[in-house]
Amino acid sequence: MPAHDTAPLDIAFMTTHEPKIYGVFRYANTYPLAIKILHDHMKEAEQLLTDFYSLDESEKAFDRTRSAKGESLKVIIYPNEKLREK
């Protein structure tokens, strides 16, 4: 949680760019545990990653998530690589 309950807003920016602002709550200090669980169970975690695409193939990747729900669990897009095999 931040030190203060309120934060100043740039009204001119908000009027011009019309951003959508969402509040998100997360539990503190959960990332180290999640990283340890992934590390300790990497083989199992890798089985969750089903499809791999380059950034250039993003449209194809999003189509895959919509059209192959029974076959694809987690579709991965690598933004800095041409293609990465599982």
Side-chain angles (χ1 to χ4, degrees), residues 4-86:
H4 304 284
D5 290 337
T6 60
L9 298 174
D10 183 340
I11 300 301
F13 176 87
M14 292 176 68
T15 303
T16 303
H17 299 284
E18 299 180 358
K20 292 180 181 165
I21 301 172
Y22 299 93
V24 178
F25 179 81
R26 70 164 185 86
Y27 290 96
N29 304 316
T30 57
Y31 293 115
L33 176 59
I35 291 168
K36 181 179 180 347
I37 291 169
L38 281 174
H39 178 269
D40 293 347
H41 301 279
M42 188 57 73
K43 291 259 189 224
E44 294 89 346
E46 286 177 347
Q47 294 175 15
L48 301 175
L49 310 178
T50 57
D51 300 272
F52 300 84
Y53 295 91
S54 68
L55 186 59
D56 294 339
E57 299 173 306
S58 292
E59 185 175 347
K60 184 177 175 183
F62 287 117
D63 287 342
R64 176 79 174 161
T65 64
R66 285 189 295 271
S67 65
K69 293 184 185 281
E71 301 166 24
S72 293
L73 187 57
K74 292 293 178 188
V75 176
I76 308 302
I77 298 173
Y78 288 96
N80 297 321
E81 299 180 30
K82 285 292 181 192
L83 181 64
R84 182 170 179 159
E85 295 297 326
K86 181 176 174 183

